[in-house]
Amino acid sequence: MTKKAMKGGDAAKTADFAPQESAGYLVRDAHRAFQRLIEKRIAPFGVTRGQWYFLRVLWTKDGISQRELSESVGMMEPTTVIALQSMEKAGLVRRERSAEDKRKAQVWLTPKAKKLKARLLPVARHITMQAREDVTQAEFELFRDVILRMTRNLDKYRR
Amino acid sequence: MTKKAMKGGDAAKTADFAPQESAGYLVRDAHRAFQRLIEKRIAPFGVTRGQWYFLRVLWTKDGISQRELSESVGMMEPTTVIALQSMEKAGLVRRERSAEDKRKAQVWLTPKAKKLKARLLPVARHITMQAREDVTQAEFELFRDVILRMTRNLDKYRR
DNA sequence: CAATATTACTTAGAAATCTACCTAAATGGA
DNA sequence: TCCATTTAGGTAGATTTCTAAGTAATATTG
């Protein structure tokens, strides 16, 4: 793309701690690359990426409570509320107050959402495959191991 | 978790593509862990993480145009506009229309922002160190290599 | 049993980030 | 020269995500 600026390479050193070398920067960049591609590929199905993460969990566990769902997806509960509102409006889920415990809301996929599974899971697989194109299984496993450890480390210091 | 059994078997194929195994999920999770921690650590200095990314670039190249800045930071231009507005309001930058080309706006750090460098860079280093706590240099390098390749792959299919 | 704590969900508000346009300035070809 | 194109920046509007604080239902305990 744009390699015009930067000729000598002298500036690279002065920047102690160049962003490009930092784990956070690498992760953020990769994250946005995934986001962009996912969004583009699922938009034709009328699904946003916020909905996508929830669908992926609901396809495997239907009828769970919002709290469980939040945990499975790894989102805070207000995020779940907002996602579910949009999913309800889009006809992807139905919410029902639990009879035994009226605090709880059970979340159910609609037939429409269930049908989407067969169309959307291949999209996910395809993106993953494209990302991993030239990455061997061994490399990927080490990558996974490292990124999981880093995530856990950060969560540990979360306070 | 539940990943003990099953190694190279058929389960990997038929399993409903567990999110936890997918590169996108791993990256997204790590990304949010970084975000949360950065945000917490820089908030006491009155800096948001949106401003943070721009500061890091401006500390090494002051006086560049908004477009250059967008590229360096890796953000779309409207994002840069919004970040700079908040930074101007916070007294971190000053913008000046270029005399030679009145379309261009040069972005300059204020003394306040320059002073923050000495306080904030250590924060970045510390987070990186905590993330990499139990990760060897060799592991990290492989991680970086893999995540960079994946990012590049995804960008390639971006269309 | 009433007061209190906990749990499940919700609301409010802010921030980061994108896509799609829009305006103004500079540039370049006919 | 003049009009079309390109370039720099900006607006509008949407989505995702968070923290902080609220409300209602249930559980606990003195």
Side-chain angles (χ1 to χ4, degrees):
Chain A
M1 297 180 198
T2 36
K3 54 166 40 236
K4 40 179 157 205
M6 132 123 32
K7 39 202 73 167
D10 40 277
K13 268 283 165 31
T14 15
D16 35 6
F17 202 54
Q20 288 72 18
E21 293 300 308
S22 106
Y25 184 93
L26 294 167
V27 165
R28 164 171 159 272
D29 233 41
H31 176 245
R32 285 188 319 180
F34 270 108
Q35 300 285 297
R36 274 195 291 256
L37 203 51
I38 289 170
E39 194 164 301
K40 217 142 233 163
R41 302 262 175 95
I42 63 179
F45 298 94
V47 174
T48 69
R49 54 175 219 276
Q51 299 171 344
W52 165 260
Y53 298 116
F54 288 91
L55 279 177
R56 284 196 66 176
V57 167
L58 287 167
W59 283 328
T60 69
K61 332 183 200 168
D62 206 5
I64 63 180
S65 75
Q66 293 191 197
R67 178 146 301 176
E68 281 178 90
L69 188 52
S70 301
E71 264 163 42
S72 299
V73 175
M75 301 281 201
M76 295 295 104
E77 289 175 43
T79 307
T80 302
V81 169
I82 288 174
L84 288 179
Q85 281 169 352
S86 94
M87 293 175 79
E88 203 161 32
K89 204 178 299 177
L92 294 171
V93 299
R94 184 166 49 79
R95 279 185 291 174
E96 216 171 65
R97 229 64 209 201
S98 159
E100 309 92 64
D101 186 338
K102 274 179 247 157
R103 290 171 304 181
K104 291 191 185 174
Q106 291 167 299
V107 182
W108 301 97
L109 288 174
T110 62
K112 172 183 172 182
K114 283 179 190 160
K115 259 181 233 132
L116 275 174
K117 180 178 182 180
R119 314 264 263 129
L120 290 185
L121 268 192
V123 172
R125 281 202 201 85
H126 191 218
I127 290 174
T128 294
M129 267 176 45
Q130 289 183 316
R132 293 178 54 174
E133 206 169 59
D134 53 2
V135 177
T136 67
Q137 181 65 23
E139 282 174 328
F140 182 75
E141 275 166 22
L142 200 142
F143 159 81
R144 183 184 56 205
D145 188 54
V146 170
I147 200 170
L148 277 173
R149 265 150 67 205
M150 294 201 301
T151 302
R152 240 180 283 127
N153 290 340
L154 293 170
D155 281 340
K156 193 170 69 187
Y157 292 112
R158 187 168 171 181
R159 39 165 162 300
Chain B
M1 302 224 183
T2 43
K3 87 138 290 185
K4 27 201 65 174
M6 106 148 50
K7 193 33 199 203
D10 47 31
K13 272 287 175 21
T14 49
D16 279 328
F17 196 53
Q20 289 72 17
E21 294 298 310
S22 107
Y25 184 93
L26 293 167
V27 165
R28 165 171 158 271
D29 233 40
H31 175 244
R32 285 189 318 178
F34 271 108
Q35 300 285 297
R36 273 193 293 254
L37 203 50
I38 288 170
E39 195 164 300
K40 220 143 232 164
R41 302 263 175 95
I42 63 179
F45 298 93
V47 174
T48 69
R49 58 177 215 274
Q51 300 171 343
W52 166 259
Y53 298 118
F54 289 90
L55 278 177
R56 284 196 66 176
V57 167
L58 287 168
W59 283 327
T60 70
K61 333 184 201 169
D62 206 6
I64 63 180
S65 75
Q66 292 191 198
R67 179 147 300 176
E68 280 179 89
L69 188 52
S70 302
E71 264 165 40
S72 299
V73 176
M75 301 282 202
M76 295 294 104
E77 289 177 44
T79 307
T80 303
V81 169
I82 289 174
L84 287 180
Q85 281 169 352
S86 93
M87 292 175 79
E88 204 160 31
K89 204 178 298 176
L92 294 171
V93 300
R94 184 167 50 79
R95 279 184 291 175
E96 216 171 65
R97 229 63 209 203
S98 160
E100 310 92 63
D101 186 338
K102 273 180 248 159
R103 291 171 305 180
K104 291 193 184 171
Q106 291 168 300
V107 182
W108 300 96
L109 288 174
T110 62
K112 173 183 172 183
K114 283 179 190 162
K115 260 181 235 131
L116 276 172
K117 180 178 182 181
R119 312 266 263 129
L120 291 184
L121 268 192
V123 172
R125 280 202 203 85
H126 192 218
I127 290 174
T128 295
M129 268 176 44
Q130 289 182 317
R132 292 176 56 174
E133 207 168 59
D134 53 1
V135 177
T136 67
Q137 180 65 21
E139 283 174 329
F140 181 74
E141 275 164 22
L142 200 141
F143 160 80
R144 183 184 55 204
D145 188 53
V146 170
I147 201 169
L148 276 173
R149 265 149 66 204
M150 293 201 302
T151 303
R152 240 180 283 127
N153 290 339
L154 294 170
D155 280 340
K156 192 169 70 189
Y157 292 112
R158 188 169 171 182
R159 38 167 167 300

